Amino acid sequence: MSIRMDMIGLVVKDIAESIRFYRALGLAIPDPDGGPYYETILEGGIRLSFNDLKMIKEIEPDWQEPIGQRIGLAFLCEPLGAVDSVYASMVAAGFKGHREPWDAFWGQRYAQVEDPDGNVVDLFHPLAS
């Protein structure tokens, strides 16, 4: 028997806008085909899927949008100063900043931005490297 994590699925209101966000963070995602489901394979072999909210509600009519964050996505930004520049470029691209860069007590330069569906995405780099 074998088990391994294979895919991260995101429920999104606008697949194209979500892909624009994740491309801005450096993910190489091909253009979507316009359908209600799109997936790509990330470096390392994990699949990332974008699932249109309308499609999810057709599959599960009682589905409700969650309140709060239940899972986190974090992007290592190199070198150290990249956290600040990536945060600034995301905000300049029209995405919402959640928390400006700061030196976190756990030893990382940290910042947070929100994807188009309000998911908080972390940007980080170790302070001591």
PDB file of all heavy atoms in Angstrom, residues 22-61:
ATOM      1  N   TYR A  22      -1.434  33.704  -8.526  1.00  0.00           N
ATOM      2  CA  TYR A  22      -0.396  32.715  -8.254  1.00  0.00           C
ATOM      3  C   TYR A  22       0.756  32.790  -9.248  1.00  0.00           C
ATOM      4  O   TYR A  22       1.899  32.476  -8.913  1.00  0.00           O
ATOM      5  CB  TYR A  22      -1.005  31.309  -8.128  1.00  0.00           C
ATOM      6  CG  TYR A  22      -1.775  31.203  -6.827  1.00  0.00           C
ATOM      7  CD1 TYR A  22      -3.161  31.326  -6.801  1.00  0.00           C
ATOM      8  CD2 TYR A  22      -1.114  31.060  -5.617  1.00  0.00           C
ATOM      9  CE1 TYR A  22      -3.866  31.281  -5.607  1.00  0.00           C
ATOM     10  CE2 TYR A  22      -1.798  31.019  -4.415  1.00  0.00           C
ATOM     11  CZ  TYR A  22      -3.170  31.130  -4.410  1.00  0.00           C
ATOM     12  OH  TYR A  22      -3.848  31.105  -3.217  1.00  0.00           O
ATOM     13  N   ARG A  23       0.492  33.260 -10.456  1.00  0.00           N
ATOM     14  CA  ARG A  23       1.586  33.525 -11.398  1.00  0.00           C
ATOM     15  C   ARG A  23       2.458  34.657 -10.879  1.00  0.00           C
ATOM     16  O   ARG A  23       3.680  34.625 -11.020  1.00  0.00           O
ATOM     17  CB  ARG A  23       1.032  33.910 -12.770  1.00  0.00           C
ATOM     18  CG  ARG A  23       0.615  32.761 -13.628  1.00  0.00           C
ATOM     19  CD  ARG A  23       0.079  33.280 -14.949  1.00  0.00           C
ATOM     20  NE  ARG A  23      -0.292  32.214 -15.851  1.00  0.00           N
ATOM     21  CZ  ARG A  23      -1.077  32.390 -16.909  1.00  0.00           C
ATOM     22  NH1 ARG A  23      -1.547  33.606 -17.199  1.00  0.00           N
ATOM     23  NH2 ARG A  23      -1.376  31.373 -17.676  1.00  0.00           N
ATOM     24  N   ALA A  24       1.823  35.686 -10.303  1.00  0.00           N
ATOM     25  CA  ALA A  24       2.576  36.814  -9.757  1.00  0.00           C
ATOM     26  C   ALA A  24       3.499  36.374  -8.621  1.00  0.00           C
ATOM     27  O   ALA A  24       4.483  37.052  -8.318  1.00  0.00           O
ATOM     28  CB  ALA A  24       1.627  37.914  -9.287  1.00  0.00           C
ATOM     29  N   LEU A  25       3.190  35.242  -7.997  1.00  0.00           N
ATOM     30  CA  LEU A  25       4.054  34.677  -6.964  1.00  0.00           C
ATOM     31  C   LEU A  25       5.057  33.681  -7.534  1.00  0.00           C
ATOM     32  O   LEU A  25       5.740  32.983  -6.791  1.00  0.00           O
ATOM     33  CB  LEU A  25       3.210  33.998  -5.875  1.00  0.00           C
ATOM     34  CG  LEU A  25       2.475  34.958  -4.954  1.00  0.00           C
ATOM     35  CD1 LEU A  25       1.540  34.202  -4.030  1.00  0.00           C
ATOM     36  CD2 LEU A  25       3.456  35.809  -4.163  1.00  0.00           C
ATOM     37  N   GLY A  26       5.130  33.586  -8.847  1.00  0.00           N
ATOM     38  CA  GLY A  26       6.166  32.793  -9.479  1.00  0.00           C
ATOM     39  C   GLY A  26       5.779  31.404  -9.948  1.00  0.00           C
ATOM     40  O   GLY A  26       6.629  30.681 -10.470  1.00  0.00           O
ATOM     41  N   LEU A  27       4.528  31.007  -9.780  1.00  0.00           N
ATOM     42  CA  LEU A  27       4.132  29.690 -10.259  1.00  0.00           C
ATOM     43  C   LEU A  27       3.955  29.736 -11.778  1.00  0.00           C
ATOM     44  O   LEU A  27       3.309  30.642 -12.304  1.00  0.00           O
ATOM     45  CB  LEU A  27       2.836  29.220  -9.605  1.00  0.00           C
ATOM     46  CG  LEU A  27       2.883  28.984  -8.094  1.00  0.00           C
ATOM     47  CD1 LEU A  27       1.547  28.424  -7.605  1.00  0.00           C
ATOM     48  CD2 LEU A  27       4.014  28.049  -7.709  1.00  0.00           C
ATOM     49  N   ALA A  28       4.522  28.770 -12.453  1.00  0.00           N
ATOM     50  CA  ALA A  28       4.398  28.673 -13.911  1.00  0.00           C
ATOM     51  C   ALA A  28       3.119  27.903 -14.215  1.00  0.00           C
ATOM     52  O   ALA A  28       3.109  26.680 -14.213  1.00  0.00           O
ATOM     53  CB  ALA A  28       5.609  27.969 -14.502  1.00  0.00           C
ATOM     54  N   ILE A  29       2.053  28.637 -14.466  1.00  0.00           N
ATOM     55  CA  ILE A  29       0.747  28.023 -14.713  1.00  0.00           C
ATOM     56  C   ILE A  29       0.329  28.368 -16.142  1.00  0.00           C
ATOM     57  O   ILE A  29       0.195  29.540 -16.479  1.00  0.00           O
ATOM     58  CB  ILE A  29      -0.309  28.541 -13.714  1.00  0.00           C
ATOM     59  CG1 ILE A  29       0.148  28.266 -12.276  1.00  0.00           C
ATOM     60  CG2 ILE A  29      -1.668  27.906 -13.993  1.00  0.00           C
ATOM     61  CD1 ILE A  29      -0.738  28.905 -11.224  1.00  0.00           C
ATOM     62  N   PRO A  30       0.112  27.356 -16.979  1.00  0.00           N
ATOM     63  CA  PRO A  30      -0.358  27.629 -18.346  1.00  0.00           C
ATOM     64  C   PRO A  30      -1.737  28.293 -18.337  1.00  0.00           C
ATOM     65  O   PRO A  30      -2.463  28.237 -17.342  1.00  0.00           O
ATOM     66  CB  PRO A  30      -0.437  26.230 -18.976  1.00  0.00           C
ATOM     67  CG  PRO A  30       0.423  25.359 -18.124  1.00  0.00           C
ATOM     68  CD  PRO A  30       0.338  25.933 -16.737  1.00  0.00           C
ATOM     69  N   ASP A  31      -2.092  28.888 -19.455  1.00  0.00           N
ATOM     70  CA  ASP A  31      -3.409  29.524 -19.570  1.00  0.00           C
ATOM     71  C   ASP A  31      -4.515  28.491 -19.402  1.00  0.00           C
ATOM     72  O   ASP A  31      -4.447  27.400 -19.978  1.00  0.00           O
ATOM     73  CB  ASP A  31      -3.558  30.203 -20.940  1.00  0.00           C
ATOM     74  CG  ASP A  31      -2.714  31.460 -21.052  1.00  0.00           C
ATOM     75  OD1 ASP A  31      -2.389  32.058 -20.010  1.00  0.00           O
ATOM     76  OD2 ASP A  31      -2.362  31.833 -22.180  1.00  0.00           O
ATOM     77  N   PRO A  32      -5.536  28.840 -18.623  1.00  0.00           N
ATOM     78  CA  PRO A  32      -6.667  27.909 -18.456  1.00  0.00           C
ATOM     79  C   PRO A  32      -7.485  27.824 -19.734  1.00  0.00           C
ATOM     80  O   PRO A  32      -7.422  28.696 -20.594  1.00  0.00           O
ATOM     81  CB  PRO A  32      -7.469  28.536 -17.313  1.00  0.00           C
ATOM     82  CG  PRO A  32      -7.127  29.978 -17.360  1.00  0.00           C
ATOM     83  CD  PRO A  32      -5.716  30.068 -17.866  1.00  0.00           C
ATOM     84  N   ASP A  33      -8.284  26.771 -19.825  1.00  0.00           N
ATOM     85  CA  ASP A  33      -9.089  26.545 -21.027  1.00  0.00           C
ATOM     86  C   ASP A  33     -10.482  27.164 -20.954  1.00  0.00           C
ATOM     87  O   ASP A  33     -11.279  27.008 -21.875  1.00  0.00           O
ATOM     88  CB  ASP A  33      -9.200  25.046 -21.309  1.00  0.00           C
ATOM     89  CG  ASP A  33      -9.815  24.276 -20.141  1.00  0.00           C
ATOM     90  OD1 ASP A  33     -10.372  24.902 -19.214  1.00  0.00           O
ATOM     91  OD2 ASP A  33      -9.741  23.041 -20.159  1.00  0.00           O
ATOM     92  N   GLY A  34     -10.792  27.836 -19.860  1.00  0.00           N
ATOM     93  CA  GLY A  34     -12.096  28.486 -19.735  1.00  0.00           C
ATOM     94  C   GLY A  34     -13.156  27.632 -19.077  1.00  0.00           C
ATOM     95  O   GLY A  34     -14.279  28.075 -18.879  1.00  0.00           O
ATOM     96  N   GLY A  35     -12.840  26.409 -18.734  1.00  0.00           N
ATOM     97  CA  GLY A  35     -13.805  25.525 -18.093  1.00  0.00           C
ATOM     98  C   GLY A  35     -13.926  25.796 -16.596  1.00  0.00           C
ATOM     99  O   GLY A  35     -13.208  26.621 -16.042  1.00  0.00           O
ATOM    100  N   PRO A  36     -14.817  25.065 -15.926  1.00  0.00           N
ATOM    101  CA  PRO A  36     -15.043  25.269 -14.495  1.00  0.00           C
ATOM    102  C   PRO A  36     -14.024  24.562 -13.605  1.00  0.00           C
ATOM    103  O   PRO A  36     -14.084  24.652 -12.387  1.00  0.00           O
ATOM    104  CB  PRO A  36     -16.430  24.684 -14.277  1.00  0.00           C
ATOM    105  CG  PRO A  36     -16.528  23.594 -15.298  1.00  0.00           C
ATOM    106  CD  PRO A  36     -15.768  24.116 -16.495  1.00  0.00           C
ATOM    107  N   TYR A  37     -13.071  23.848 -14.218  1.00  0.00           N
ATOM    108  CA  TYR A  37     -12.032  23.138 -13.483  1.00  0.00           C
ATOM    109  C   TYR A  37     -10.744  23.251 -14.270  1.00  0.00           C
ATOM    110  O   TYR A  37     -10.735  23.100 -15.499  1.00  0.00           O
ATOM    111  CB  TYR A  37     -12.413  21.660 -13.316  1.00  0.00           C
ATOM    112  CG  TYR A  37     -11.321  20.829 -12.665  1.00  0.00           C
ATOM    113  CD1 TYR A  37     -11.215  20.775 -11.285  1.00  0.00           C
ATOM    114  CD2 TYR A  37     -10.396  20.132 -13.440  1.00  0.00           C
ATOM    115  CE1 TYR A  37     -10.208  20.024 -10.680  1.00  0.00           C
ATOM    116  CE2 TYR A  37      -9.393  19.388 -12.849  1.00  0.00           C
ATOM    117  CZ  TYR A  37      -9.301  19.335 -11.463  1.00  0.00           C
ATOM    118  OH  TYR A  37      -8.301  18.604 -10.875  1.00  0.00           O
ATOM    119  N   TYR A  38      -9.658  23.534 -13.566  1.00  0.00           N
ATOM    120  CA  TYR A  38      -8.371  23.592 -14.238  1.00  0.00           C
ATOM    121  C   TYR A  38      -7.310  23.090 -13.271  1.00  0.00           C
ATOM    122  O   TYR A  38      -7.341  23.409 -12.089  1.00  0.00           O
ATOM    123  CB  TYR A  38      -8.040  25.022 -14.674  1.00  0.00           C
ATOM    124  CG  TYR A  38      -6.746  25.102 -15.436  1.00  0.00           C
ATOM    125  CD1 TYR A  38      -6.679  24.669 -16.753  1.00  0.00           C
ATOM    126  CD2 TYR A  38      -5.596  25.574 -14.835  1.00  0.00           C
ATOM    127  CE1 TYR A  38      -5.491  24.710 -17.458  1.00  0.00           C
ATOM    128  CE2 TYR A  38      -4.403  25.623 -15.537  1.00  0.00           C
ATOM    129  CZ  TYR A  38      -4.352  25.197 -16.845  1.00  0.00           C
ATOM    130  OH  TYR A  38      -3.174  25.234 -17.538  1.00  0.00           O
ATOM    131  N   GLU A  39      -6.391  22.294 -13.771  1.00  0.00           N
ATOM    132  CA  GLU A  39      -5.295  21.847 -12.921  1.00  0.00           C
ATOM    133  C   GLU A  39      -3.984  21.932 -13.671  1.00  0.00           C
ATOM    134  O   GLU A  39      -3.939  21.897 -14.905  1.00  0.00           O
ATOM    135  CB  GLU A  39      -5.514  20.439 -12.385  1.00  0.00           C
ATOM    136  CG  GLU A  39      -5.331  19.330 -13.375  1.00  0.00           C
ATOM    137  CD  GLU A  39      -5.452  17.952 -12.740  1.00  0.00           C
ATOM    138  OE1 GLU A  39      -6.464  17.686 -12.061  1.00  0.00           O
ATOM    139  OE2 GLU A  39      -4.533  17.139 -12.953  1.00  0.00           O
ATOM    140  N   THR A  40      -2.915  22.067 -12.897  1.00  0.00           N
ATOM    141  CA  THR A  40      -1.570  22.106 -13.433  1.00  0.00           C
ATOM    142  C   THR A  40      -0.668  21.336 -12.484  1.00  0.00           C
ATOM    143  O   THR A  40      -1.027  21.123 -11.320  1.00  0.00           O
ATOM    144  CB  THR A  40      -1.088  23.563 -13.617  1.00  0.00           C
ATOM    145  OG1 THR A  40       0.147  23.574 -14.330  1.00  0.00           O
ATOM    146  CG2 THR A  40      -0.941  24.279 -12.293  1.00  0.00           C
ATOM    147  N   ILE A  41       0.475  20.924 -12.966  1.00  0.00           N
ATOM    148  CA  ILE A  41       1.439  20.223 -12.127  1.00  0.00           C
ATOM    149  C   ILE A  41       2.548  21.199 -11.751  1.00  0.00           C
ATOM    150  O   ILE A  41       3.182  21.809 -12.615  1.00  0.00           O
ATOM    151  CB  ILE A  41       2.021  18.986 -12.844  1.00  0.00           C
ATOM    152  CG1 ILE A  41       0.885  18.010 -13.177  1.00  0.00           C
ATOM    153  CG2 ILE A  41       3.082  18.318 -11.976  1.00  0.00           C
ATOM    154  CD1 ILE A  41       1.311  16.824 -14.007  1.00  0.00           C
ATOM    155  N   LEU A  42       2.754  21.349 -10.447  1.00  0.00           N
ATOM    156  CA  LEU A  42       3.778  22.242  -9.939  1.00  0.00           C
ATOM    157  C   LEU A  42       5.136  21.553  -9.931  1.00  0.00           C
ATOM    158  O   LEU A  42       5.231  20.327  -9.991  1.00  0.00           O
ATOM    159  CB  LEU A  42       3.432  22.684  -8.516  1.00  0.00           C
ATOM    160  CG  LEU A  42       2.098  23.392  -8.339  1.00  0.00           C
ATOM    161  CD1 LEU A  42       1.856  23.685  -6.860  1.00  0.00           C
ATOM    162  CD2 LEU A  42       2.056  24.680  -9.153  1.00  0.00           C
ATOM    163  N   GLU A  43       6.173  22.366  -9.819  1.00  0.00           N
ATOM    164  CA  GLU A  43       7.514  21.817  -9.646  1.00  0.00           C
ATOM    165  C   GLU A  43       7.481  20.887  -8.438  1.00  0.00           C
ATOM    166  O   GLU A  43       6.932  21.227  -7.399  1.00  0.00           O
ATOM    167  CB  GLU A  43       8.487  22.972  -9.408  1.00  0.00           C
ATOM    168  CG  GLU A  43       9.921  22.558  -9.340  1.00  0.00           C
ATOM    169  CD  GLU A  43      10.852  23.751  -9.177  1.00  0.00           C
ATOM    170  OE1 GLU A  43      10.592  24.806  -9.777  1.00  0.00           O
ATOM    171  OE2 GLU A  43      11.831  23.596  -8.441  1.00  0.00           O
ATOM    172  N   GLY A  44       8.003  19.712  -8.564  1.00  0.00           N
ATOM    173  CA  GLY A  44       7.953  18.740  -7.488  1.00  0.00           C
ATOM    174  C   GLY A  44       6.846  17.716  -7.669  1.00  0.00           C
ATOM    175  O   GLY A  44       6.743  16.759  -6.911  1.00  0.00           O
ATOM    176  N   GLY A  45       5.973  17.931  -8.658  1.00  0.00           N
ATOM    177  CA  GLY A  45       4.978  16.930  -9.002  1.00  0.00           C
ATOM    178  C   GLY A  45       3.616  17.050  -8.351  1.00  0.00           C
ATOM    179  O   GLY A  45       2.723  16.278  -8.659  1.00  0.00           O
ATOM    180  N   ILE A  46       3.418  18.009  -7.439  1.00  0.00           N
ATOM    181  CA  ILE A  46       2.108  18.192  -6.812  1.00  0.00           C
ATOM    182  C   ILE A  46       1.189  18.901  -7.808  1.00  0.00           C
ATOM    183  O   ILE A  46       1.578  19.872  -8.454  1.00  0.00           O
ATOM    184  CB  ILE A  46       2.210  19.033  -5.523  1.00  0.00           C
ATOM    185  CG1 ILE A  46       3.068  18.325  -4.483  1.00  0.00           C
ATOM    186  CG2 ILE A  46       0.836  19.392  -4.967  1.00  0.00           C
ATOM    187  CD1 ILE A  46       2.428  17.136  -3.847  1.00  0.00           C
ATOM    188  N   ARG A  47      -0.041  18.391  -7.926  1.00  0.00           N
ATOM    189  CA  ARG A  47      -1.021  19.064  -8.781  1.00  0.00           C
ATOM    190  C   ARG A  47      -1.700  20.178  -7.993  1.00  0.00           C
ATOM    191  O   ARG A  47      -1.952  20.050  -6.796  1.00  0.00           O
ATOM    192  CB  ARG A  47      -2.085  18.083  -9.270  1.00  0.00           C
ATOM    193  CG  ARG A  47      -1.537  17.047 -10.231  1.00  0.00           C
ATOM    194  CD  ARG A  47      -2.602  16.088 -10.746  1.00  0.00           C
ATOM    195  NE  ARG A  47      -3.215  15.362  -9.634  1.00  0.00           N
ATOM    196  CZ  ARG A  47      -4.484  14.964  -9.600  1.00  0.00           C
ATOM    197  NH1 ARG A  47      -5.295  15.224 -10.617  1.00  0.00           N
ATOM    198  NH2 ARG A  47      -4.957  14.291  -8.577  1.00  0.00           N
ATOM    199  N   LEU A  48      -1.984  21.275  -8.670  1.00  0.00           N
ATOM    200  CA  LEU A  48      -2.737  22.391  -8.104  1.00  0.00           C
ATOM    201  C   LEU A  48      -3.974  22.554  -8.962  1.00  0.00           C
ATOM    202  O   LEU A  48      -3.872  22.718 -10.185  1.00  0.00           O
ATOM    203  CB  LEU A  48      -1.913  23.680  -8.109  1.00  0.00           C
ATOM    204  CG  LEU A  48      -2.603  24.941  -7.605  1.00  0.00           C
ATOM    205  CD1 LEU A  48      -3.003  24.805  -6.138  1.00  0.00           C
ATOM    206  CD2 LEU A  48      -1.705  26.154  -7.813  1.00  0.00           C
ATOM    207  N   SER A  49      -5.158  22.464  -8.332  1.00  0.00           N
ATOM    208  CA  SER A  49      -6.395  22.601  -9.115  1.00  0.00           C
ATOM    209  C   SER A  49      -7.163  23.842  -8.685  1.00  0.00           C
ATOM    210  O   SER A  49      -7.139  24.243  -7.524  1.00  0.00           O
ATOM    211  CB  SER A  49      -7.271  21.361  -8.973  1.00  0.00           C
ATOM    212  OG  SER A  49      -7.842  21.278  -7.684  1.00  0.00           O
ATOM    213  N   PHE A  50      -7.836  24.412  -9.666  1.00  0.00           N
ATOM    214  CA  PHE A  50      -8.709  25.566  -9.466  1.00  0.00           C
ATOM    215  C   PHE A  50     -10.114  25.093  -9.793  1.00  0.00           C
ATOM    216  O   PHE A  50     -10.384  24.646 -10.907  1.00  0.00           O
ATOM    217  CB  PHE A  50      -8.287  26.715 -10.387  1.00  0.00           C
ATOM    218  CG  PHE A  50      -6.888  27.203 -10.109  1.00  0.00           C
ATOM    219  CD1 PHE A  50      -5.792  26.613 -10.731  1.00  0.00           C
ATOM    220  CD2 PHE A  50      -6.664  28.235  -9.221  1.00  0.00           C
ATOM    221  CE1 PHE A  50      -4.504  27.041 -10.470  1.00  0.00           C
ATOM    222  CE2 PHE A  50      -5.377  28.682  -8.950  1.00  0.00           C
ATOM    223  CZ  PHE A  50      -4.296  28.081  -9.584  1.00  0.00           C
ATOM    224  N   ASN A  51     -11.004  25.173  -8.809  1.00  0.00           N
ATOM    225  CA  ASN A  51     -12.364  24.650  -8.920  1.00  0.00           C
ATOM    226  C   ASN A  51     -13.344  25.807  -8.814  1.00  0.00           C
ATOM    227  O   ASN A  51     -13.425  26.455  -7.762  1.00  0.00           O
ATOM    228  CB  ASN A  51     -12.620  23.641  -7.790  1.00  0.00           C
ATOM    229  CG  ASN A  51     -11.604  22.524  -7.799  1.00  0.00           C
ATOM    230  OD1 ASN A  51     -11.809  21.520  -8.433  1.00  0.00           O
ATOM    231  ND2 ASN A  51     -10.488  22.710  -7.100  1.00  0.00           N
ATOM    232  N   ASP A  52     -14.071  26.079  -9.887  1.00  0.00           N
ATOM    233  CA  ASP A  52     -15.020  27.187  -9.903  1.00  0.00           C
ATOM    234  C   ASP A  52     -16.096  26.993  -8.833  1.00  0.00           C
ATOM    235  O   ASP A  52     -16.658  25.906  -8.693  1.00  0.00           O
ATOM    236  CB  ASP A  52     -15.651  27.294 -11.291  1.00  0.00           C
ATOM    237  CG  ASP A  52     -16.528  28.521 -11.414  1.00  0.00           C
ATOM    238  OD1 ASP A  52     -15.999  29.583 -11.773  1.00  0.00           O
ATOM    239  OD2 ASP A  52     -17.742  28.399 -11.132  1.00  0.00           O
ATOM    240  N   LEU A  53     -16.363  28.042  -8.097  1.00  0.00           N
ATOM    241  CA  LEU A  53     -17.348  28.004  -7.016  1.00  0.00           C
ATOM    242  C   LEU A  53     -18.705  27.495  -7.492  1.00  0.00           C
ATOM    243  O   LEU A  53     -19.350  26.688  -6.815  1.00  0.00           O
ATOM    244  CB  LEU A  53     -17.491  29.394  -6.391  1.00  0.00           C
ATOM    245  CG  LEU A  53     -18.521  29.565  -5.294  1.00  0.00           C
ATOM    246  CD1 LEU A  53     -18.226  28.660  -4.105  1.00  0.00           C
ATOM    247  CD2 LEU A  53     -18.572  31.020  -4.853  1.00  0.00           C
ATOM    248  N   LYS A  54     -19.134  27.911  -8.684  1.00  0.00           N
ATOM    249  CA  LYS A  54     -20.427  27.449  -9.216  1.00  0.00           C
ATOM    250  C   LYS A  54     -20.429  25.938  -9.428  1.00  0.00           C
ATOM    251  O   LYS A  54     -21.418  25.269  -9.141  1.00  0.00           O
ATOM    252  CB  LYS A  54     -20.742  28.169 -10.529  1.00  0.00           C
ATOM    253  CG  LYS A  54     -21.007  29.644 -10.369  1.00  0.00           C
ATOM    254  CD  LYS A  54     -21.189  30.310 -11.721  1.00  0.00           C
ATOM    255  CE  LYS A  54     -21.118  31.810 -11.575  1.00  0.00           C
ATOM    256  NZ  LYS A  54     -20.930  32.478 -12.846  1.00  0.00           N
ATOM    257  N   MET A  55     -19.315  25.393  -9.910  1.00  0.00           N
ATOM    258  CA  MET A  55     -19.220  23.955 -10.117  1.00  0.00           C
ATOM    259  C   MET A  55     -19.290  23.219  -8.776  1.00  0.00           C
ATOM    260  O   MET A  55     -19.995  22.211  -8.647  1.00  0.00           O
ATOM    261  CB  MET A  55     -17.909  23.594 -10.818  1.00  0.00           C
ATOM    262  CG  MET A  55     -17.737  22.097 -11.042  1.00  0.00           C
ATOM    263  SD  MET A  55     -16.079  21.633 -11.601  1.00  0.00           S
ATOM    264  CE  MET A  55     -15.127  21.812 -10.095  1.00  0.00           C
ATOM    265  N   ILE A  56     -18.604  23.726  -7.785  1.00  0.00           N
ATOM    266  CA  ILE A  56     -18.618  23.097  -6.461  1.00  0.00           C
ATOM    267  C   ILE A  56     -20.034  23.078  -5.901  1.00  0.00           C
ATOM    268  O   ILE A  56     -20.483  22.073  -5.335  1.00  0.00           O
ATOM    269  CB  ILE A  56     -17.657  23.825  -5.499  1.00  0.00           C
ATOM    270  CG1 ILE A  56     -16.208  23.676  -5.968  1.00  0.00           C
ATOM    271  CG2 ILE A  56     -17.826  23.334  -4.064  1.00  0.00           C
ATOM    272  CD1 ILE A  56     -15.706  22.246  -6.062  1.00  0.00           C
ATOM    273  N   LYS A  57     -20.769  24.171  -6.095  1.00  0.00           N
ATOM    274  CA  LYS A  57     -22.139  24.231  -5.577  1.00  0.00           C
ATOM    275  C   LYS A  57     -23.079  23.307  -6.348  1.00  0.00           C
ATOM    276  O   LYS A  57     -24.079  22.863  -5.812  1.00  0.00           O
ATOM    277  CB  LYS A  57     -22.648  25.668  -5.579  1.00  0.00           C
ATOM    278  CG  LYS A  57     -21.980  26.494  -4.480  1.00  0.00           C
ATOM    279  CD  LYS A  57     -22.575  27.870  -4.376  1.00  0.00           C
ATOM    280  CE  LYS A  57     -21.981  28.598  -3.191  1.00  0.00           C
ATOM    281  NZ  LYS A  57     -22.590  29.901  -2.972  1.00  0.00           N
ATOM    282  N   GLU A  58     -22.757  22.992  -7.603  1.00  0.00           N
ATOM    283  CA  GLU A  58     -23.539  21.997  -8.350  1.00  0.00           C
ATOM    284  C   GLU A  58     -23.266  20.594  -7.810  1.00  0.00           C
ATOM    285  O   GLU A  58     -24.164  19.775  -7.712  1.00  0.00           O
ATOM    286  CB  GLU A  58     -23.183  22.048  -9.838  1.00  0.00           C
ATOM    287  CG  GLU A  58     -23.752  23.246 -10.564  1.00  0.00           C
ATOM    288  CD  GLU A  58     -23.317  23.284 -12.027  1.00  0.00           C
ATOM    289  OE1 GLU A  58     -22.911  22.238 -12.576  1.00  0.00           O
ATOM    290  OE2 GLU A  58     -23.373  24.373 -12.617  1.00  0.00           O
ATOM    291  N   ILE A  59     -22.024  20.322  -7.471  1.00  0.00           N
ATOM    292  CA  ILE A  59     -21.643  19.012  -6.941  1.00  0.00           C
ATOM    293  C   ILE A  59     -22.194  18.823  -5.537  1.00  0.00           C
ATOM    294  O   ILE A  59     -22.700  17.763  -5.188  1.00  0.00           O
ATOM    295  CB  ILE A  59     -20.104  18.864  -6.934  1.00  0.00           C
ATOM    296  CG1 ILE A  59     -19.568  18.867  -8.370  1.00  0.00           C
ATOM    297  CG2 ILE A  59     -19.675  17.603  -6.190  1.00  0.00           C
ATOM    298  CD1 ILE A  59     -18.065  19.006  -8.460  1.00  0.00           C
ATOM    299  N   GLU A  60     -22.085  19.873  -4.724  1.00  0.00           N
ATOM    300  CA  GLU A  60     -22.530  19.817  -3.334  1.00  0.00           C
ATOM    301  C   GLU A  60     -23.370  21.058  -3.037  1.00  0.00           C
ATOM    302  O   GLU A  60     -22.842  22.091  -2.612  1.00  0.00           O
ATOM    303  CB  GLU A  60     -21.323  19.733  -2.391  1.00  0.00           C
ATOM    304  CG  GLU A  60     -21.715  19.479  -0.978  1.00  0.00           C
ATOM    305  CD  GLU A  60     -20.510  19.200  -0.088  1.00  0.00           C
ATOM    306  OE1 GLU A  60     -19.461  18.760  -0.576  1.00  0.00           O
ATOM    307  OE2 GLU A  60     -20.659  19.431   1.112  1.00  0.00           O
ATOM    308  N   PRO A  61     -24.673  20.995  -3.255  1.00  0.00           N
ATOM    309  CA  PRO A  61     -25.540  22.174  -3.127  1.00  0.00           C
ATOM    310  C   PRO A  61     -25.503  22.855  -1.757  1.00  0.00           C
ATOM    311  O   PRO A  61     -25.741  24.054  -1.660  1.00  0.00           O
ATOM    312  CB  PRO A  61     -26.941  21.619  -3.402  1.00  0.00           C
ATOM    313  CG  PRO A  61     -26.708  20.380  -4.193  1.00  0.00           C
ATOM    314  CD  PRO A  61     -25.403  19.818  -3.715  1.00  0.00           C
TER     315      PRO A  61
END
